[in-house]
Amino acid sequence: MASSPRTPDPRSWRKPANWHLRTRLTALAMGLLIAICGAVGVVSYASMDTFLTHQLDGQLTQAADRANDPGRPHMDGAIGRDPLDARGQSVGTLNARIVDGQVHSAGFLAPDTTRSPLSAADKEALLALTAGSAPVDRKLSSGNYRLVAAQTSFGDVLVTGLPLNAKESTLASLVWTFLLVSLGGLVLVGFAGTVLIRRTMKPLEQLSAVATKVSRLPLDAGEVALAVRVPPSNADPGTEVGSVGHALNLMLDNVANALQARQRSETKVRQFVADASHELRTPLTAVRGYTELLRLTEHFTPDGERSLARVQSQSERMTALVEDLLLLARLDEGQPLKLADVDLTQLVVEGVSDEKVMAPGHNWRLELPGEPVVVNGDAAQLRQVLMNLLSNARKHTPAGTTVVAGARLASADTAEITVTDDGGGIPPEFVDQAFARFARADAARKGASDQPGAAGTEGTSGLGLSIVQSIVEAHGGTVSVESRAGWTRFAVKLPTTPR
């Protein structure tokens, strides 16, 4: 019997081990692509930054050379030529002369070729530079600048600077371009990867569908046609998935052969039981007939009478056993039912009336509704179901036990028959096998006649409840038992209309 599907845990997505394989493969591919894009982006950014810095340093060197005028000496205390007056200086260029720790001729070259003065903080930043050192980046009032300080032949220090906004703009454009391209690539790869992985994993889904379909087949009894197989396209042993499909087909072939062998064996056993039961009916009838004839025509001693009575009782018991076996064989063959409307309340009343005559020491009670409970079924077989349950209660409980039989409509399309007693109960270890064939609890094997104080009063064959289960299942219903010390209930549920 297939187990019910498990309800997925809503928190399982937090654990990658619980993800679908295609989800993990897609996530892995995306993760690798993100790592590669990140590495390429970092390397590209560093390379571009180095290139632009080297290019800017070259431009800075040229601007410093243009600003320096070593051929013009100091005159009348003048500081010298203004560096920003040099030809070829670009907009935004910064120049300043530092003489004796004072900043002179300092400013930015504005777009209209005029001078923009430096702030006090800017001058402090220029005074902190070391002449002859490598160019450095500093944040000034007009933005970020690349600065270099050079010692002139007159002993003063000439500071030259170029703005970093062009470099920063280029790097920002590179970053945004790379991010957009990478994001587009990730989306494209994610979509294409999902489609390709899903298509690649489709054979595994087909294998899973085949296994699921097989798991839902009723393989426990009856003739089973196990025709489900993995398609040849997914059973090529030359591929990984195909090897799994091929192995699954081999396993299903083996299971199908085993089921066919089991079915053949069960069919032979059923046929043997049916044939043997049928053949035994004639000699058993003859034994009973001759026993009756001997009792009517011959005179026996008291011991002979007891022996003859024993022969007759055992032949009757054997006849009942043969009839039960023959009925089970017919039920196993699935013989059609003789369907008609059956009033369960009437069956219960008649059954309890018969049991009152056979066991007057029991307390028999009825629990019936005011209206008839009608189902569509085989009247003779349903009567046997009720009689087996009532006789089971009678045989396995002592005198004085209260047995309550009832019938009711459990729902609009389901009728229920119950037989409840307050006897000793069924041993817990025996409840699960109560409906098995030839299953009998130890106490029921002996009976009160064989063991003083035993719960039962008659020996049983162990087939009564299995007959009940077979008849009820043939009608599309179910039978169950609940038991504890001092209380046992058998419940039969039948559809009001055949299914």
Side-chain angles (χ1 to χ4, degrees), residues 313-334:
S313 66
Q314 292 301 314
S315 63
E316 291 175 351
R317 182 171 180 272
M318 187 65 179
T319 300
L321 176 61
V322 168
E323 293 294 336
D324 288 345
L325 288 173
L326 189 58
L327 176 59
L328 283 173
R330 291 170 178 171
L331 291 172
D332 289 341
E333 291 176 359

Side-chain angles (χ1 to χ4, degrees), residues 29-316:
M30 295 287 287
L32 290 176
L33 185 59
I34 290 174
I36 293 173
C37 290
V40 172
V42 170
V43 172
S44 300
Y45 185 90
S47 300
M48 181 61 71
D49 181 71
T50 301
F51 171 78
L52 293 176
T53 300
H54 181 73
Q55 184 181 60
L56 186 61
D57 287 346
Q59 296 172 356
L60 185 61
T61 301
Q62 295 175 3
D65 290 342
R66 287 193 297 268
N68 191 11
D69 185 10
R72 183 177 181 181
H74 293 257
M75 298 178 62
D76 300 329
I79 300 303
R81 173 181 147 185
D82 188 349
L84 287 179
D85 291 339
R87 295 181 179 181
Q89 300 292 62
S90 60
V91 174
T93 302
L94 178 150
N95 279 124
R97 286 186 182 276
I98 300 176
V99 179
D100 298 330
Q102 298 295 321
V103 178
H104 302 275
S105 302
F108 302 101
L109 186 61
D112 58 357
T113 68
T114 61
R115 179 191 304 272
S116 296
L118 300 181
S119 66
D122 294 342
K123 294 178 179 180
E124 291 293 333
L126 298 184
L127 290 173
L129 297 177
T130 302
S133 61
V136 294
D137 294 340
R138 291 292 184 269
K139 183 175 180 60
L140 304 179
S141 59
S142 295
N144 296 324
Y145 267 74
R146 185 79 169 170
L147 304 175
V148 65
Q151 186 84 36
T152 68
S153 58
F154 300 103
D156 54 356
V157 176
L158 180 63
V159 178
T160 306
L162 292 177
L164 293 174
N165 55 354
K167 170 188 170 183
E168 292 172 347
S169 177
T170 302
L171 291 176
S173 298
L174 174 65
V175 170
W176 280 108
T177 302
F178 192 83
L179 285 176
L180 293 176
V181 172
S182 298
L183 183 60
L186 287 173
V187 172
L188 180 61
V189 169
F191 177 76
T194 300
V195 173
L196 292 176
I197 291 174
R198 184 181 294 273
R199 181 176 298 178
T200 304
M201 299 294 292
K202 189 174 182 180
L204 285 180
E205 294 178 355
Q206 293 178 342
L207 297 184
S208 176
V210 170
T212 301
K213 188 179 296 184
V214 172
S215 70
R216 294 174 178 171
L217 293 176
L219 305 179
D220 54 339
E223 186 173 358
V224 180
L226 191 58
V228 182
R229 292 293 186 276
V230 178
S233 59
N234 297 328
D236 182 9
T239 63
E240 290 79 0
V241 176
S243 63
V244 176
H246 181 67
L248 182 58
N249 279 345
L250 292 179
M251 182 189 70
L252 293 177
D253 290 339
N254 189 27
V255 172
N257 293 333
L259 291 174
Q260 292 174 0
R262 186 206 66 183
Q263 180 63 27
R264 288 193 296 268
S265 176
E266 289 183 355
T267 301
K268 290 180 180 179
V269 171
R270 290 171 184 167
Q271 188 63 41
F272 170 76
V273 171
D275 293 343
S277 300
H278 187 272
E279 293 299 327
L280 285 173
R281 297 173 75 181
T282 300
L284 285 173
T285 302
V287 170
R288 293 174 59 188
Y290 280 113
T291 301
E292 291 290 341
L293 181 63
L294 287 174
R295 296 186 71 175
L296 294 175
T297 60
E298 302 294 335
H299 298 284
F300 295 95
T301 63
D303 290 339
E305 286 287 346
R306 285 193 296 270
S307 298
L308 193 61
R310 184 67 173 170
V311 170
Q312 184 175 8
S313 66
Q314 292 301 314
S315 63
E316 291 175 351

Side-chain angles (χ1 to χ4, degrees), residues 352-368:
V352 170
S353 298
D354 294 341
E355 291 297 329
K356 283 183 178 179
V357 175
M358 300 180 65
H362 285 65
N363 299 319
W364 299 94
R365 296 182 182 177
L366 296 172
E367 285 186 353
L368 298 174

Side-chain angles (χ1 to χ4, degrees), residues 434-496:
F435 297 99
R437 298 182 183 183
F438 297 106
R440 293 176 293 179
D442 291 340
R445 292 177 184 271
K446 299 179 180 179
S449 61
D450 296 319
Q451 181 179 357
T457 60
E458 299 181 26
T460 60
S461 65
L463 292 176
L465 294 181
S466 63
I467 291 176
V468 169
Q469 186 181 48
S470 297
I471 293 176
V472 171
E473 290 180 350
H475 283 75
T478 60
V479 58
S480 60
V481 59
E482 298 177 72
S483 183
R484 58 178 181 268
W487 183 85
T488 300
R489 166 173 286 186
F490 286 87
V492 175
K493 292 186 177 181
L494 297 168
T496 55

Side-chain angles (χ1 to χ4, degrees), residues 366-390:
L366 296 172
E367 285 186 353
L368 298 174
E371 299 294 331
V373 179
V374 180
V375 299
N376 192 261
D378 191 311
Q381 291 191 7
L382 293 179
R383 179 176 286 104
Q384 182 158 6
V385 167
L386 183 61
M387 296 308 299
N388 282 10
L389 292 177
L390 292 174

